[in-house]
Amino acid sequence: MTFVRFRRNEPISILCDFCYNEISFSTRIKCSECNLDFCVLCFYNKKKLDGHDLSHKYRAIEPLVFPVYEPNWTALDELLFFDAFYIYGIGNWEDISNYFGSKSVEEIEKHFCLIFGISDNKFYESDKNISGFSNPNIHEVVNYLPLRKDFDVEYDNDAENIIKDLVFKEEDNEIEKQLKEAMIDSYFYTLKLRNIRKHIILDRNLYEIKKLQSKESNYSENEKKILSKLKPLTPYLSKTDFNSFLKGIFIEEHLKSLLNKNQDFKQKYSNERFLKYEKERSKLLTDLELEICKKLEISYKSYIHIKSTAINEFLKNNYLNVKRLKYLLKSYDKRIEVLYGFFSKQGWIPEN
């Protein structure tokens, strides 16, 4: 079927798919298999088009000029009316009016209220103002229809294809019956998952991408990472519980950050003090001692502790070896053996 509007503000006309003559107000022949429309003359002359065969089934259709709901609305207008809803969505009266060409915005809205039994237009208008446009081509989320609160493409959109040709027959054996029942159960489970996902999206306004992006842009990088990790929990928590939980996690991370900063400050302060005292200790050591500390990468504080432990133990018991020194220091670092040899060479303790 070919539609055309010859002039603005004129009704849409139906044209013959072969000769393109107007057939809006005359009987036309419609192919039942390829959905083409022919004028009576083209049909009589057996005109052909690609994909159309003369053996196709057909039916004759009288002009759709009779009223259905209102005197000034023909049956053709009603068909176009629902086609426009499918394209632009309910509530987009201006777009639907432009699609018609011959109907005003007020007429479109009034006719909708008449068909669907809506007596209070104000109620619908208030809902329209809240929801906004319903055209999936211009909304933030592709295929989302706000006024319907529905999606053009659902989760597992082809699930119906599995059961569309499913038929229970009397001759089915038990296994075949169980298999078909399992297929139906699987489909019902898919419907359940669809409803869960739809509820989550609508309840949390996840279709408002720009608002979500604007909100998340205020988060720090760490908070964005936390949010990304917690998103899988959304199906199991209500909107209020999830937001409270997320806020608590953010507070916890903030407190951890403050503690880490405090710890870093303490560490920095301790390092400064350590370097200051190391400088003072270096004045107590000879050049050879400074050299061996540097070579073994031992702090002056540790070196002085090892040296004093070794000398005090020898003076106390008049005996010392490497094994005993390691035991006293509670360490089995090989550098202790090097230091023991150094102390012996200096004559402070006996050789091992």
Side-chain angles (χ1 to χ4, degrees):
M1 182 184 294
T2 302
F3 292 107
V4 68
R5 182 186 295 118
F6 293 104
R7 293 185 182 86
R8 185 175 178 82
N9 297 328
E10 286 190 359
I12 291 178
S13 301
I14 302 176
L15 303 183
C16 172
D17 286 315
F18 185 82
C19 66
Y20 295 105
N21 286 323
E22 185 177 359
I23 53 177
S24 304
F25 304 101
S26 59
T27 301
R28 69 181 190 275
I29 308 300
K30 188 174 189 66
C31 178
S32 300
E33 298 185 28
C34 53
N35 205 33
L36 295 175
D37 289 274
F38 296 90
C39 65
V40 175
L41 185 61
C42 288
F43 179 76
Y44 176 78
N45 292 326
K46 299 181 179 180
K47 301 293 184 180
K48 290 186 178 181
L49 285 174
D50 291 341
H52 175 68
D53 192 86
L54 296 177
S55 62
H56 285 179
K57 296 180 180 180
Y58 65 91
R59 53 197 173 98
I61 299 179
E62 293 296 323
L64 301 176
V65 294
F66 53 89
V68 179
Y69 294 101
E70 294 186 81
N72 59 337
W73 282 74
T74 65
L76 178 60
D77 290 335
E78 301 294 350
L79 292 176
L80 295 175
F81 188 56
F82 286 100
D83 281 342
F85 278 151
Y86 181 79
I87 296 172
Y88 298 106
I90 298 174
N92 297 321
W93 309 128
E94 187 173 351
D95 292 331
I96 296 173
S97 176
N98 292 333
Y99 180 80
F100 264 86
S102 60
K103 303 292 182 183
S104 66
V105 174
E106 291 74 16
E107 287 177 311
I108 296 290
E109 186 173 2
K110 181 181 177 182
H111 190 66
F112 172 82
C113 294
L114 174 67
I115 292 176
F116 293 97
I118 301 175
S119 57
D120 186 4
N121 291 355
K122 293 182 180 179
F123 169 79
Y124 185 76
E125 288 174 359
S126 63
D127 183 65
K128 176 184 70 175
N129 293 333
I130 294 173
S131 301
F133 290 100
S134 189
N135 186 349
N137 297 321
I138 61 175
H139 198 262
E140 294 177 23
V141 178
V142 177
N143 78 52
Y144 175 62
L145 309 171
L147 291 177
R148 302 182 193 176
K149 294 185 177 179
D150 206 349
F151 296 87
D152 190 34
V153 179
E154 296 279 5
Y155 165 76
D156 196 359
N157 200 55
D158 298 326
E160 286 76 10
N161 293 338
I162 300 175
I163 63 167
K164 67 177 182 179
D165 299 321
L166 194 63
V167 178
F168 284 87
K169 301 178 181 178
E170 293 183 1
E171 58 268 23
D172 289 345
N173 57 40
E174 190 63 28
I175 295 178
E176 289 175 331
K177 289 180 180 179
Q178 291 179 3
L179 177 60
K180 291 178 180 180
E181 289 173 356
M183 293 170 67
I184 293 176
D185 289 340
S186 176
Y187 174 67
F188 283 147
Y189 181 70
T190 299
L191 293 180
K192 181 179 179 181
L193 294 179
R194 281 182 185 175
N195 290 332
I196 291 174
R197 282 165 169 76
K198 187 183 296 183
H199 171 74
I200 292 171
I201 292 172
L202 298 180
D203 181 57
R204 292 159 175 75
N205 299 330
L206 299 182
Y207 53 85
E208 296 179 342
I209 301 297
K210 292 182 180 178
K211 288 185 179 179
L212 292 174
Q213 290 176 341
S214 176
K215 184 178 180 181
E216 291 185 11
S217 64
N218 297 323
Y219 292 158
S220 64
E221 289 300 321
N222 189 40
E223 288 175 337
K224 289 179 181 178
K225 291 179 181 179
I226 294 171
L227 178 60
S228 179
K229 290 180 180 179
L230 295 180
K231 281 181 179 179
L233 295 176
T234 52
Y236 310 103
L237 296 174
S238 67
K239 180 179 179 180
T240 303
D241 290 342
F242 181 80
N243 289 335
S244 298
F245 179 64
L246 183 64
K247 184 179 179 181
I249 295 295
F250 284 170
I251 292 173
E252 180 185 1
E253 289 298 316
H254 180 65
L255 293 175
K256 284 182 179 179
S257 176
L258 292 177
L259 289 173
N260 289 334
K261 288 181 180 179
N262 187 42
Q263 190 67 28
D264 292 341
F265 174 77
K266 287 183 177 180
Q267 185 67 33
K268 182 179 179 181
Y269 178 71
S270 299
N271 290 339
E272 290 177 352
R273 290 186 61 191
F274 177 78
L275 293 175
K276 179 182 178 181
Y277 287 121
E278 281 288 276
K279 187 175 181 180
E280 295 295 326
R281 294 186 189 104
S282 66
K283 298 176 181 179
L284 304 175
L285 305 178
T286 64
D287 292 341
L288 287 176
E289 289 177 310
L290 294 174
E291 184 179 348
I292 196 169
C293 286
K294 184 177 180 181
K295 183 178 180 181
L296 297 178
E297 297 181 351
I298 298 176
S299 66
Y300 302 147
K301 179 181 179 181
S302 298
Y303 172 80
I304 293 173
H305 172 65
I306 296 171
K307 177 182 176 182
S308 61
T309 301
I311 294 175
N312 289 334
E313 178 65 17
F314 176 70
L315 294 175
K316 181 179 179 181
N317 298 314
N318 198 28
Y319 172 79
L320 184 66
N321 58 21
V322 174
K323 186 176 180 180
R324 176 64 180 172
L325 181 59
K326 288 182 177 180
Y327 173 78
L328 294 172
L329 295 172
K330 294 181 174 56
S331 173
Y332 294 91
D333 194 324
K334 290 185 177 181
R335 289 178 294 182
I336 295 176
E337 298 178 10
V338 178
L339 289 175
Y340 189 93
F342 176 76
F343 297 154
S344 300
K345 190 175 181 180
Q346 300 301 317
W348 299 332
I349 57 175
E351 294 183 2
N352 190 25

